[in-house]
Each structure stands twice: as C-alpha cells, then as structure tokens.
Amino acid sequence: MKVCLVGSSGGHLAHLYLLKQLWEDQERFWVTFNKEDAASILKDEKRYNCYFPTNRNLKNLIKNTWLAIRILRKERPDVIISTGAAVAVPFFYIGKLMGIKTIYLEVFDRIDQPTLTGRLVYPVSSLLIVQWEEMKKVYPKAIYLGGIF
C-alpha cells in the first residue's frame, strides 16, 4: 500500500508522526511545509514541499491544488492521510476525484468544535476519525477511536 501523508508543519506534522505504527511499514511520501521541524523529523523520508501560508490564502490554495494534481498523478497513492491543516483540502478533493481513499484525523485539541479544515474535508473523506466522543455530534459519520497520545 502506498500512503500519502499530508500536513502542515508543527503540531499537525507531530500528530501524523505519532501514527508511525500505521505507516512505517508502508511505501509512503509526505507533503508538508519546507520548515526546520519538517526537515528534521522527515530527514530520511520522501517529502514534497507545499506552499504556505495556507490558512485563508487563496493564492496558495490554488498553487497547492496544482501541486496536488501533479503529485497525486505521479505517485498514485492508495490512501491520503491528514491531520490538517489547510494543505489537506486540495489533496482530499483531488484525491476524491482520482478515486483515492482519504482519512482525516481531527486534531486532539478540538473537543466539541470542528476545525475549518475538518469541515471542508468531511464531505470528501472516506473516513473521518475523532479523538473525543463529543465530536461525534459535530461529525455524525465520524468514528471515535480515542486520543492518539
């Protein structure tokens, strides 16, 4: 199985990295910001740099949409996994159009309110996972698996 891991640097990247048991034995590549934490954590990983800032930035949303098309056509992953943030949105929508499964993990610090990215990718996610039971009220189709910490 080939896995595409998409996330902003910082906490979102740390969340994805905590899922190591799920991806470490899989063929994979990462899409994240070109920042020091990403370079350090992913130094031995195949990585693509995306454009940032991504939050409420239409120019970078368009650039990242073209990037998603190019990367997903080249890599052909079986699944896209993300914990956010906004860079996940174009990858999930393009992935959906290409028939790629998508899994979104809503971040741990959201207990009863959705993130903007969560709201945007919920309609196209094959699976949305929440870390708090209360989030099932926000995302009725989500599954609750508890915290990843």
Side-chain angles (χ1 to χ4, degrees), residues 5-19 23 30-33 35-42 47 83-85 107:
L5 297 140
V6 180
S8 305
S9 61
H12 295 284
L13 182 62
H15 272 85
L16 278 174
Y17 203 80
L18 286 172
L19 303 173
W23 53 257
W30 297 75
V31 179
T32 189
F33 299 165
K35 290 194 164 184
E36 289 184 28
D37 64 331
S40 176
I41 292 170
L42 305 176
R47 180 171 60 116
T83 56
V107 292

